[in-house]
Amino acid sequence: MEWIRIYEGKAKILFETGERGSVVQRFKNDATAFNALKKGSIPNKGAINCQLSSHLFQFLESNGIRTHFLERISPIDMKIRQLRMVGLEVVVRNRVAGSLVKRLGMEEGTPLAQPILEWYYKRDDLGDPLVNRDHIRILRLAEDAVLAQIGQMAKRANDLLVPYFAERGILLVDMKFEFGTDETGSLFLGDEISGDTCRFWDATTHDKMDKDRFRQDLGKIEENYLALFRRVTRHEPEI
Ligand code: UDP
């Protein structure tokens, strides 16, 4: 059966394949920043992010975190569980960076005594605003129990990923997760885990190895995505 495109976002496309319960997410080379005000393309980003995400989803699954990952079926295509997505972006932070520099007036790179969890309402037209539990309740984005479970899963994923990256000479500064439920109501980690959605710094030099290179015009973007991939997976991507 021919694949039917059911959704196209800034960095990924979703296809229905005719198989019940699963869809395919395709990773694009397109890059956007600042609520899509800045647009560009990073060579081989789709393949690198698809394969890095696959690797990290499998790592998390093997440590008891349920993810939407089912199988990688091409360099840029991943078969995933079809989920009903919760309309929130969940950010976990280990060091100050990005919007937190401005919000709290703290210096970039300052280590946080404990991870910070933040919720953002996924609404491009509003610029994905920061929201609290009361906002989430009023907007009916998630039941309290589901929200608590999301918070626990996000923190647990961070606790697993921080040492995993540290062993590979990488500081996991912050990350964004998205979650969804299947038809039985079970919660899964969805979306992607890559240099587009996390901040990764070289542990020694603090050089940036993620989308901040694109956001801040730092150059050597593809080289850094590739170097990150090699360090984390210890092999070459299929391009
Ligand atoms: N992030 C993301 N998508 C967004 C906003 C943020 O993946 O729409 C990620 C971002 O890459 C970083 C983390 O979430 O790893 C925290 O982002 P922050 O709030 O600092 O916002 P930014 O400075 O990226 O706009």
Side-chain angles (χ1 to χ4, degrees), residues 89 91 93 97-100 118 120 128 174-176 196-199 215:
E89 298 194 341
V91 168
R93 303 178 184 272
S99 63
L100 201 62
E118 294 173 350
Y120 291 87
D128 296 345
D174 58 30
M175 70 224 74
K176 185 262 296 179
D196 278 13
T197 60
C198 305
R199 287 194 169 91
R215 292 188 188 98

Side-chain angles (χ1 to χ4, degrees), residues 5-172:
R5 195 172 64 171
I6 50 172
Y7 175 78
E8 179 151 8
K10 284 168 275 192
K12 294 189 292 295
I13 309 175
L14 281 186
F15 296 95
E16 237 164 30
T17 64
E19 200 175 286
R20 216 183 111 80
S22 78
V23 292
V24 168
Q25 80 173 346
R26 172 167 296 168
F27 290 71
K28 303 195 283 187
N29 291 340
D30 297 355
T32 62
F34 313 119
N35 204 16
L37 281 175
K38 183 181 167 97
K39 291 194 175 101
S41 174
I42 302 168
N44 298 316
K45 176 171 83 73
I48 293 169
N49 282 359
C50 179
Q51 292 167 53
L52 181 64
S53 288
S54 300
H55 180 92
L56 294 171
F57 281 137
Q58 287 174 89
F59 164 71
L60 290 175
E61 281 279 353
S62 70
N63 284 282
I65 305 265
R66 284 184 311 213
T67 80
H68 69 164
F69 179 82
L70 293 172
E71 181 190 1
R72 188 166 65 76
I73 56 176
S74 93
I76 57 166
D77 292 312
M78 184 193 285
K79 194 203 274 188
I80 57 172
R81 266 172 226 280
Q82 187 155 30
L83 301 178
R84 178 196 294 267
M85 297 307 289
V86 176
L88 287 168
E89 298 194 341
V90 186
V91 168
V92 186
R93 303 178 184 272
N94 299 301
R95 289 194 181 232
V96 175
S99 63
L100 201 62
V101 174
K102 285 188 185 159
R103 182 166 303 118
L104 300 188
M106 289 170 77
E107 199 179 326
E108 183 185 65
T110 310
L112 298 164
Q114 59 169 73
I116 292 180
L117 194 81
E118 294 173 350
W119 314 96
Y120 291 87
Y121 181 23
K122 216 171 140 61
R123 273 281 297 268
D124 279 342
D125 58 332
L126 301 178
D128 296 345
L130 181 72
V131 289
N132 65 27
R133 279 170 193 276
D134 288 343
H135 299 140
I136 293 168
R137 207 172 285 135
I138 296 296
L139 291 166
R140 295 178 178 275
L141 293 173
E143 303 281 337
D144 286 358
V146 174
L147 206 61
Q149 206 191 342
I150 290 176
Q152 282 167 10
M153 268 171 87
K155 283 206 169 133
R156 171 107 180 95
N158 180 58
D159 288 348
L160 290 163
L161 291 169
V162 166
Y164 188 77
F165 282 100
E167 282 162 18
R168 289 155 177 81
I170 294 165
L171 254 178
L172 178 55

